[in-house]
Amino acid sequence: MQESIAEDLIRRLKQRMSHLRVGDSLDKCIDVGALVDESQKKTISEFVEEARSEGAEVFQAPGPLPKKGLYYLPTLITGVNTTSRCVREEIFGPVLVAMSFRTAKEAISLANNTPYGLAASVWTENLPLALEVALSIKAGTVWVNGHNMFDAAAGFGGYKESGFGRDGGKEGLYEYVRPSWESRPKPNPGDVNYKTFAVTYGADVPPIPGQKDISASVIQVHDSQIPSVDRTYKLYYGGAQKRPDGMYSRPIFGSDGNIIAYVADSSRKDVRNAVEAAHKAAPGWGKRAAHNRAQIVYYMAENLELRREEVAQRLSSLTGQSKDKALQEVDLSVQRLFYWGAYCDKYGGTVQETLLYGATVLIREPVGVVGIACPDENPLLSFVSLFAPAIVRGNAVVVVPSEKFPLPALDFYQVFDTSDLPGGVVNILTGGRDHLSKYLVEHQDIQAMWYFGSEEGSKFMEWSSAENCKRTWVNYGLTRDWENPQEGEGEEFLYHATQCKNIWIPMGEIFAN
């Protein structure tokens, strides 16, 4: 409640609560029905008593409760701290927690101060303010000057730990279908030890005695060849190259079996740093104009094309494919960047046709911070095909490039730096795919995990993500043809890069609502 009306509203609220009728919910004269079971009644009592012990004021409407059945008196809690459990968690009982605010920005902070986000409502006579607050609240449905309005045409579902997916609307069908080109996956990962999966750091790195086996690169100067400066491949997060926290590296082999470079071997500490950098960048990036995001992605395509020959040569030496085939992959990557750049302003949402006398607006919002583990096939094209749709829709990403061929992604540092991409929007961590994916999916402040790796890894991602209802997109060990537009781009990527919010905006100044 806004502070200026809090005292009057609380007084009226207590008066109204005093007239609520508690009893059998099959009786049409009853306002508050019974609880689901004894354990829930105990839980509600614990919430209320804990708030009371913290110094909050607890008001319970006077009146007798039915002698038979599980009932709880309608309760109002005021004067509570923002960190209190009754503020941050869902009580699932006839308990209301009331707090006051002075500014709209403070109200948004209070509303988002919870790991849950199923639904919310905004009450105000100022429509521009209502829409701004509705967009800022992290909830799947926001009603303006109303509450609990539903329609089968509008998807209903939550953000954060209130779950993902939607009931109703076209979005309600997506979890039951798959792309037409894709056969039904039938994974058989066997037993996965969830406690030990990918927990060992650097276990898959072969011991390399010394560094003299690295093929020295040379440059041509005045008709003679001289050794070039050795380049150290570092991590990239927060818009800058960083040394790994553990100071370890891993060898990268070329198609001829020789070591052509060493790259940083990331650890869980590097994951934490990259996620922090992504969260700093995500709010500003998500609020940028779509046209501005598109220009930056177009710059990436232009700057990658300028380095076409160099990147293709790197791809050829890494993977053993012909120079022409490598050039084709670079050209497809440029083309894909232009494709996704065009989608920056073309997947924003629709107006749903519901029973409401008004407008029910579907907004496709960014998911937040997305972890991405890339496959080994088409190391450049798959990297571009995965990070680009995520960032064009306003997400920030932490990417683990191809474990076997990470160099094309690492060469993208300079493309990002010369394309005006804000630091922290794309963060790149090299190392073991499964090891880094484990700590990405277990991170409590990552909103989605995309994993393209093994069957065992896919099973672990889905199992581990359940802890805080993190969205996942896994491939169950199946490869896809990244060169095929049907498999490497399209609405499937946009669906995973966005989440749906429905804002219900009523009318009724002229005619009855």
Side-chain angles (χ1 to χ4, degrees), residues 31-266:
D31 299 306
V32 181
L35 303 175
V36 65
D37 59 25
E38 186 68 46
S39 63
Q40 182 59 25
K41 183 178 180 180
K42 180 182 177 183
T43 300
I44 295 170
S45 299
E46 289 174 355
F47 271 104
V48 174
E49 293 308 314
E50 184 177 323
R52 197 194 304 270
S53 66
E54 291 173 350
E57 179 186 334
V58 177
F59 170 81
Q60 292 185 311
L65 290 177
K67 294 180 180 180
K68 184 179 179 181
L70 296 170
Y71 296 94
Y72 196 85
L73 282 172
T75 303
L76 173 66
I77 302 176
T78 55
V80 68
N81 298 319
T82 56
T83 56
S84 177
R85 204 157 65 97
C86 68
V87 172
R88 292 178 48 79
E89 297 188 23
E90 298 172 321
I91 301 176
F92 291 108
V95 180
L96 180 65
V97 180
M99 305 176 71
S100 64
F101 61 86
R102 292 184 179 181
T103 65
K105 187 177 288 187
E106 183 186 1
I108 293 167
S109 297
L110 291 171
N112 290 332
N113 182 37
T114 173
Y116 303 102
L118 183 60
S121 56
V122 181
W123 300 77
T124 177
E125 293 180 343
N126 187 332
L127 183 58
L129 177 63
L131 293 177
E132 187 174 19
V133 172
L135 284 170
S136 301
I137 291 177
K138 299 302 179 185
T141 298
V142 182
W143 296 285
V144 175
N145 293 345
H147 203 80
N148 269 18
M149 293 180 284
F150 302 98
D151 192 281
F156 180 80
Y159 281 20
K160 299 185 284 188
E161 290 186 30
S162 288
F164 52 86
R166 295 293 180 264
D167 290 327
K170 186 170 67 173
E171 293 71 35
L173 301 175
Y174 282 159
E175 294 300 327
Y176 301 94
V177 299
R178 63 182 54 84
S180 57
W181 60 266
E182 184 181 70
S183 300
R184 181 182 179 86
K186 297 180 179 179
N188 184 27
D191 293 331
V192 176
N193 190 325
Y194 298 120
K195 289 186 177 180
T196 61
F197 177 82
V199 73
T200 308
Y201 175 47
D204 56 341
V205 181
I208 305 296
Q211 297 185 3
K212 61 183 180 181
D213 294 331
I214 301 178
S215 55
S217 57
V218 295
I219 57 174
Q220 194 81 15
V221 178
H222 300 307
D223 299 327
S224 62
Q225 290 186 335
I226 64 172
S228 67
V229 176
D230 287 336
R231 179 180 178 185
T232 303
Y233 284 93
K234 303 179 184 67
L235 308 177
Y236 183 80
Y237 57 83
Q241 298 184 49
K242 308 282 188 178
R243 297 188 185 278
D245 181 73
M247 302 303 286
Y248 292 117
S249 60
R250 59 170 51 216
I252 300 300
F253 297 89
S255 57
D256 57 2
N258 293 322
I259 302 172
I260 61 175
Y262 277 87
V263 301
D265 196 12
S266 307

Side-chain angles (χ1 to χ4, degrees), residues 28 43-44 48 70 94 138 185 208 239 280 294 329 335 353 406-407 451 454 465 471 473:
K28 293 184 179 180
T43 300
I44 295 170
V48 174
L70 296 170
K138 299 302 179 185
I208 305 296
K280 287 181 181 178
E329 182 169 344
Q335 178 183 327
E353 294 188 13
L407 300 188
Y451 175 87
S454 64
S465 69
R471 287 180 64 175
W473 182 19

Side-chain angles (χ1 to χ4, degrees), residues 234-238 242-245 263-275 372-374 383 397-403 406 409-410 413 426-433 436-437 439-440 446:
K234 303 179 184 67
L235 308 177
Y236 183 80
Y237 57 83
K242 308 282 188 178
R243 297 188 185 278
D245 181 73
V263 301
D265 196 12
S266 307
S267 66
R268 60 194 301 178
K269 176 66 161 56
D270 300 306
V271 169
R272 192 189 76 180
N273 294 341
V275 173
I372 302 176
C374 300
F383 170 72
V397 297
V398 179
V399 188
V400 181
S402 164
E403 180 177 345
L410 300 182
Y413 296 172
V426 177
N427 307 275
I428 303 176
L429 300 178
T430 52
R433 180 194 297 114
L436 293 174
S437 297
Y439 292 110
L440 282 169
I446 281 185

Side-chain angles (χ1 to χ4, degrees), residues 281-301 337-338 340-348 364-366 387-396 419-422 425 494 497-498:
W285 178 248
K287 289 184 178 179
R288 284 206 177 202
H291 175 75
N292 181 259
R293 293 201 303 269
Q295 288 298 314
I296 290 172
V297 177
Y298 292 148
Y299 290 156
M300 290 181 197
L337 284 169
F338 272 104
W340 286 119
Y343 259 110
C344 280
D345 59 354
K346 295 178 178 64
Y347 198 69
R364 298 188 185 274
E365 293 192 325
F387 89 78
I391 68 168
V392 300
R393 295 312 313 163
N395 300 286
S419 302
D420 297 335
L421 182 72
V425 174
L494 292 166
T498 58

